[in-house]
Amino acid sequence: MRKLLIKEIVAKGIKDRRILDAMMKLPRHFFFDDIFVSHAYEDKAFPIGQGQTISQPYTVAFQTELLEIQPGDKILEIGTGSGYQAAILMELGADVYTIEYNEVLYKKTKSFLPNLGYRPKFFHGDGSKGLPQHAPYDGIIVTAGAPTLPQDLVKQLKVGGKLIIPVGNDKTQVMYRLKKIDENKISKKAFNNFSFVPLRGEKGWK
Ligand code: SAM
């Protein structure tokens, strides 16, 4: 089933072999409650409790591809959720900092993910302002839909760093990649539309 899912993602345009290999290796059904495992290899987002979702596999692959990760890159993920995206980033050799707003999910994933051998640095709090105490980052990936582009996140990038963020309303968002060219110059590129749960917090939907 995992092989078929990877085929589907390739057909949708994902090319980076390292990401496909990571997704082939990581059992997505481990991130599902037992009664829902039959849904684990559908290319769909799925509820993980607390009104939140594990992102669609294609979306995980798409956002990860935009990050262009090199081994050792320091990456901030905003929206830990199930921990699946964090594990994929770690498979690519990233040094992962991940922050989750919902305390129940934070505690659940912090105790579960290390059992699979993935130990990102977990944080609980409002990631709409980033995680300034550990900045700067080579990449920041936001896995919830933001109402605007939070300037705090741009500030926390290294020169050459990238911010991948869906921005829009509560139903549809455009995926953006921002690159910090130098301290005062940013390039911005828009990609396809996606549909994420809302980014909460001070710079989110409150
Ligand atoms: N990356 C996750 C995964 O692999 O399962 C998908 C996460 S889900 C689509 C989005 C997550 O963002 C939810 O768990 C939600 O609680 C979290 N979130 C929303 N607003 C946040 C904020 N301001 N700071 C940190 N996490 C936030």
Side-chain angles (χ1 to χ4, degrees), residues 122-189:
F122 291 101
F123 297 85
H124 173 230
D126 179 7
S128 71
K129 296 176 293 181
L131 190 60
Q133 63 270 40
H134 293 284
Y137 305 96
D138 296 292
I140 301 179
I141 171 174
V142 182
T143 70
T148 54
L149 276 172
Q151 286 310 307
D152 296 15
L153 301 187
V154 176
K155 278 191 207 133
Q156 291 169 37
L157 287 175
K158 292 181 189 175
V159 168
K162 302 173 194 84
L163 167 63
I164 315 300
I165 182 168
V167 180
N169 58 36
D170 56 349
K171 292 195 178 56
T172 323
Q173 305 89 30
V174 175
M175 190 69 74
Y176 285 98
R177 176 168 62 191
L178 278 80
K179 281 191 190 172
K180 194 166 190 169
I181 311 290
D182 62 37
E183 282 305 337
N184 304 310
K185 199 170 166 203
I186 301 289
S187 73
K188 183 170 143 189
K189 186 168 179 194

Side-chain angles (χ1 to χ4, degrees), residues 9-24:
I9 291 172
V10 170
K12 289 177 180 170
I14 300 299
K15 293 191 177 64
D16 189 330
R17 195 68 247 167
R18 299 173 310 150
I19 297 171
L20 299 169
D21 288 348
M23 293 181 82
M24 190 60 221

Side-chain angles (χ1 to χ4, degrees), residues 43-80:
D43 190 22
K44 288 181 184 159
F46 200 82
I48 52 169
Q50 303 293 307
Q52 303 304 328
T53 54
I54 177 171
S55 298
Q56 181 182 346
Y58 169 72
T59 305
V60 171
F62 190 83
Q63 287 196 284
T64 308
E65 205 166 58
L66 292 182
L67 273 172
E68 297 170 334
I69 291 177
Q70 296 305 314
D73 277 0
K74 185 174 167 186
I75 304 292
L76 172 63
E77 180 197 23
I78 299 170
T80 311

Side-chain angles (χ1 to χ4, degrees), residues 99-145:
I99 181 165
E100 173 56 52
Y101 200 44
N102 181 288
E103 192 176 4
V104 174
L105 290 177
Y106 159 75
K107 284 186 178 157
K108 186 176 174 191
T109 301
K110 192 182 177 193
S111 70
F112 154 77
L113 204 56
N115 298 336
L116 299 185
Y118 300 100
R119 291 177 182 77
K121 289 143 193 106
F122 291 101
F123 297 85
H124 173 230
D126 179 7
S128 71
K129 296 176 293 181
L131 190 60
Q133 63 270 40
H134 293 284
Y137 305 96
D138 296 292
I140 301 179
I141 171 174
V142 182
T143 70

